[in-house]
Amino acid sequence: MRSKTVMSSANLLEELQSVLAHGTVARRVETLRRVTDLFVGNAVDYSDDHIRVFDDVFQCLIEQIETSAKALLADRLAPIAAAPPQIIRTLALDDVMEIAGPVLTKSERLDETTLIEIARSKSQAHLKAISLRRVLSEALTDVLVSRGNEDVVQSTVSNPGAQLSEGSLTDLVTRAERDDDLATCIGRRPDLPRHHYLKLVAKASLSVRRKLEAAHPELAGEVPSAVQEAAQRVRAAAMTRQTEMARALVKSLHEDGRLTEFQVATFAEQGKFDEANAGLAALAGVSVETAENMMIESRTEGLMILAKVAGMQWSSVRAIIAMREKLSGGSQTDMLALRDTYEALRSSTAQQVLRFHRMQNVTSAA
């Protein structure tokens, strides 16, 4: 019976206080071991009231024992879903990693508020332990990415259970320009949105180009085409089911005569890169690959050329530019200056530039 298995809180605390007041260190540790055995062996049967009793007991005992005994307690309680919540919090907040580590990595009893509190205030070792948890929310990964060192960030990105927010992804892709290992970690994530993957590939290609030119200066002239070809293969491999569905939707709208610049602008305002890109390509009469290449360029001229060929109004173009800036994490541009440039751009000039762009692509592919 549960009533026989667990004594009342008052009686148990009284007995333990006697042990702590008059017993040796060895006796205190042995008492902790016996109480832990009792809890672990019957954890699934205890009610919330019983768990609160154990919480009181552990809190009382933990103040009187050395680090090794605390570490053993943390290691035994961490995997238990019904572990007493207050002692779990106390162990997680400990500065000694042998104590905090197992709980930070394994315990499902830790609430997100406590985890974020620890991630914002404790050591990099604490952050690394948190990064290894089975599931990490966007709010938690935001803290790990912004505050963590290189090891913590790579561990977080490599964790398949980590949910990465749009802001964290933007920051990570930017940081990956200077860190090939981080770029590899990000690129291997199956949930990486295509627009981030494309930017990652574009930036990595520049890094590869510099390395190849430095290592083989006699082949420097051949490097750009080789890099471009490799990037095109990687982009094709990065095609996701979501991208395919987006392109199929836009193709259907276009074939039915329902694709308008207003619809493309709406896609952009909703942050739907694949739909906006495919829509712009359809209205401009170019392939989605051509539009994609021009869309992710560091400058906005390519995008405006496509929009001018498509006959778009400035309000629609502005929505696409705003989406592009938001997704890339780049600094805001002078929209007034861009508007003047766009309105001054002639359709005939845009057509000529687009033909030249197509010719370059054909030459590169040959």
Side-chain angles (χ1 to χ4, degrees):
M1 297 290 293
R2 288 180 179 176
S3 59
K4 295 180 179 179
T5 304
V6 184
M7 294 177 286
S8 69
S9 178
N11 290 340
L12 186 53
L13 286 174
E14 182 179 348
E15 179 180 333
L16 290 170
Q17 287 168 356
S18 175
V19 170
L20 295 175
H22 306 292
T24 63
V25 172
R27 188 181 175 194
R28 291 199 298 271
V29 172
E30 174 61 18
T31 301
L32 176 66
R33 184 191 66 77
R34 292 175 61 187
V35 173
T36 306
D37 286 344
L38 181 63
F39 178 79
V40 172
N42 302 277
V44 294
D45 296 324
Y46 293 137
S47 68
D48 290 343
D49 288 339
H50 294 147
I51 291 174
R52 280 192 288 270
V53 171
F54 277 102
D55 223 344
D56 291 339
V57 170
F58 284 129
Q59 290 287 3
C60 180
L61 282 171
I62 203 171
E63 298 176 359
Q64 306 291 333
I65 61 175
E66 63 272 16
T67 297
S68 60
K70 287 184 181 180
L72 180 59
L73 176 64
D75 193 56
R76 297 190 67 187
L77 293 182
I80 300 177
Q86 294 306 313
I87 190 62
I88 288 293
R89 173 181 166 83
T90 299
L91 294 170
L93 286 166
D94 202 289
D95 290 333
V96 179
M97 282 310 300
E98 287 79 2
I99 298 171
V103 176
L104 291 175
T105 299
K106 300 176 184 178
S107 180
E108 300 295 331
R109 268 295 199 178
L110 278 175
D111 59 85
E112 183 164 297
T113 300
T114 299
L115 286 167
I116 292 177
E117 173 191 345
I118 293 172
R120 286 175 174 168
S121 60
K122 291 293 185 178
S123 71
Q124 292 296 316
H126 287 74
L127 270 65
K128 176 64 178 294
I130 294 174
S131 74
L132 298 173
R133 292 179 65 84
R134 184 177 60 86
V135 175
L136 297 172
S137 68
E138 286 190 2
L140 189 52
T141 56
D142 282 347
V143 180
L144 295 176
V145 168
S146 64
R147 186 168 179 264
N149 59 19
E150 181 179 305
D151 189 32
V152 170
V153 170
Q154 287 199 20
S155 178
T156 302
V157 174
S158 299
N159 185 343
Q163 300 172 23
L164 298 171
S165 69
E166 182 69 26
S168 285
L169 283 170
T170 298
D171 180 36
L172 287 167
V173 171
T174 300
R175 290 161 69 172
E177 297 176 25
R178 307 179 300 275
D179 188 336
D180 289 344
D181 291 335
L182 179 58
T184 300
C185 289
I186 299 171
R188 287 176 175 170
R189 289 190 62 92
D191 59 345
L192 183 65
R194 184 171 171 81
H195 62 274
H196 283 300
Y197 196 99
L198 297 180
K199 183 182 179 185
L200 185 68
V201 169
K203 298 299 182 180
S205 297
L206 294 176
S207 175
V208 171
R209 178 181 300 180
R210 295 190 189 100
K211 290 180 179 179
L212 289 175
E213 288 178 338
H216 305 284
E218 72 280 7
L219 301 177
E222 299 178 24
V223 169
S225 60
V227 171
Q228 183 178 18
E229 180 182 352
Q232 289 173 347
R233 288 200 300 269
V234 174
R235 287 182 184 182
M239 180 74 71
T240 64
R241 177 61 178 165
Q242 181 179 353
T243 302
E244 292 175 351
M245 292 175 63
R247 292 183 178 181
L249 169 64
V250 172
K251 181 179 179 182
S252 175
L253 292 174
H254 186 56
E255 290 176 346
D256 294 344
R258 294 182 291 134
L259 183 66
T260 64
E261 72 167 86
F262 175 76
Q263 180 63 70
V264 175
T266 300
F267 285 144
E269 290 169 355
Q270 295 172 344
K272 297 182 176 181
F273 173 85
D274 291 320
E275 289 85 346
N277 178 75
L280 180 58
L283 294 181
V286 301
S287 68
V288 288
E289 290 78 17
T290 296
E292 193 171 70
N293 289 338
M294 300 177 77
M295 181 80 83
I296 65 172
E297 290 175 354
S298 59
R299 297 171 65 86
T300 58
E301 282 80 356
L303 188 160
M304 290 196 292
I305 287 169
L306 286 176
K308 182 64 71 169
V309 171
M312 285 186 166
Q313 299 295 317
W314 167 247
S315 58
S316 300
V317 181
R318 176 171 181 161
I320 300 174
I321 294 175
M323 174 199 70
R324 181 177 172 276
E325 289 180 347
K326 181 178 180 180
L327 295 178
S328 67
S331 58
Q332 292 187 347
T333 55
D334 185 346
M335 287 292 184
L336 291 178
L338 289 178
R339 182 195 63 186
D340 293 342
T341 299
Y342 183 72
E343 291 180 348
L345 178 64
R346 295 182 178 179
S347 295
S348 58
T349 302
Q351 291 281 2
Q352 289 177 344
V353 173
L354 185 56
R355 282 196 294 271
F356 178 74
H357 185 84
R358 285 169 168 166
M359 182 178 66
Q360 281 189 314
N361 287 341
V362 171
T363 302
S364 298

